[in-house]
Amino acid sequence: LLAPVARNLVWILFILAIANGIFLYVFPHLAEAHYAWPIKPPINAAFMGAGYLAGMVATGLALFKAKFWRSVRILFPAFFALGLSLFIATLLHVDRFKWDYVLTWIWTVVYFSIPVGSVIVWYLHEKNRKKLPTRDSRLHFLRQTSFALGIAITLLATLLFIFPSIFLNVWPWQITPLLARAFAGWYFLAGVILLFAPSLRQANEIPVAFATLVAWSVLSLLLPVLYGSSIRFNLG
C-alpha cells in the first residue's frame, strides 16, 4: 500500500493536474494572459493541458483504484523526470516568467518539490520491499517493445530539451525554446514510463501507467483536429 506521504504527494499532483488540465486544454486561449508565462498560440497550452489531463488519469487511478505499490511504482521515476526537467527549464528561461504573479511561484515550488518527493516516495517503498512477485512470461513482448519505444521517446525528449532551437522550424506548429523544453518534460514522462516497463512483473502493474500514456496520446492527437488553423504544413 502507498505510504501516507506518498498519498499526500499524489493528492497534490491530482489536484494540480485537474486544475492545469482543465484550464489549459479547455480554455487555452486564456493562457497567454493568465499562466506562469505567456503561452501562445492556444494549441501550445492545449498540448500541455493534454499532459496534465493524462496526469489526472495517473494520479486518479493511483488514489482510487490501485491497491499496491507495484501498481504505481513505475509512475514515480516518470514524475521525477517531468518535475526535474520543468524546474530546470524554468531556471533556463527565468526571464520569460511573470515573477510578480503568484501562480509563477506556485509553479516553481511545485516543480522543485516533485523530484524531491518522488525520490522520498521511492525510497520509502523500495527499502521495505518484500519478495518480488513471479515474473509473468506473457508480458515479455510488452516489456521489450515498450523499452524500445521508451528509448526513442526519451531520445526525442533529450533533444528537445538540450537543442530546442533545431525544432522551432520543424515542429507542426509555432513553438518557442521554452515551450520545446516544457514539452520535453511530458516526453520524458512517457519515455521513462516505457523505459521502466521491463520491471513489470504482473498484469496488474500495467493499467495505471499505460492508461496514462493512452490518455496523453489520444488528447494530443486531437489537437490537429481542434486547432487545424495552427498546423504548419510547409515545415523547414
Side-chain angles (χ1 to χ4, degrees):
L1 297 177
L2 282 176
V5 65
R7 290 192 65 83
N8 291 337
L9 175 63
V10 174
W11 264 111
I12 292 171
L13 296 179
F14 180 61
I15 293 168
L16 291 171
I18 293 174
N20 280 278
I22 292 175
F23 178 75
L24 293 172
Y25 200 83
V26 181
F27 307 105
H29 58 285
L30 297 178
E32 182 176 358
H34 301 290
Y35 206 61
W37 81 92
I39 302 178
K40 60 180 182 178
I43 190 172
N44 286 310
F47 185 86
M48 291 185 61
Y52 284 111
L53 290 176
M56 181 187 72
V57 172
T59 51
L61 289 174
L63 288 170
F64 304 118
K65 297 297 291 184
K67 296 181 179 180
F68 304 104
W69 163 243
R70 289 201 61 86
S71 298
V72 298
R73 73 187 289 274
I74 199 173
L75 292 176
F76 286 89
F79 288 156
F80 175 87
L82 170 68
L84 183 62
S85 58
L86 289 180
F87 180 68
I88 295 174
T90 302
L91 298 181
L92 292 174
H93 298 277
V94 66
D95 58 310
R96 297 284 295 130
F97 285 79
K98 306 172 185 176
W99 295 105
D100 58 347
Y101 191 38
V102 66
L103 291 181
T104 302
W105 290 100
I106 293 174
W107 164 282
T108 305
V109 170
V110 164
Y111 287 109
F112 171 79
S113 302
I114 287 176
V116 176
S118 298
V119 170
I120 292 172
V121 169
W122 183 271
Y123 172 75
L124 289 175
H125 289 84
E126 292 292 304
K127 74 170 184 174
N128 295 320
R129 185 175 64 183
K130 299 179 181 179
K131 183 179 178 182
L132 291 175
T134 304
R135 192 173 178 87
D136 191 336
S137 61
R138 294 173 297 178
L139 302 181
H140 178 73
F141 179 76
L142 176 67
R143 295 186 193 103
Q144 298 304 312
T145 54
S146 295
F147 185 72
L149 183 58
I151 292 174
I153 293 176
T154 304
L155 176 61
L156 171 61
T158 303
L159 293 173
L160 262 174
F161 195 87
I162 298 176
F163 306 110
S165 59
I166 68 175
F167 291 90
L168 301 186
N169 293 323
V170 299
W171 201 258
W173 58 83
Q174 180 185 356
I175 61 172
T176 65
L178 171 54
L179 282 166
R181 288 187 164 118
F183 291 176
W186 300 107
Y187 284 102
F188 275 126
L189 178 98
V192 170
I193 286 176
L194 292 167
L195 286 176
F196 270 76
S199 71
L200 298 173
R201 304 186 74 86
Q202 291 291 315
N204 61 10
E205 300 171 28
I206 295 173
V208 174
F210 282 80
T212 303
L213 296 179
V214 169
W216 182 58
S217 300
V218 170
L219 290 167
S220 298
L221 289 172
L222 284 174
L223 295 181
V225 177
L226 298 173
Y227 302 96
S229 61
S230 296
I231 302 299
R232 303 187 297 194
F233 295 97
N234 296 318
L235 303 177

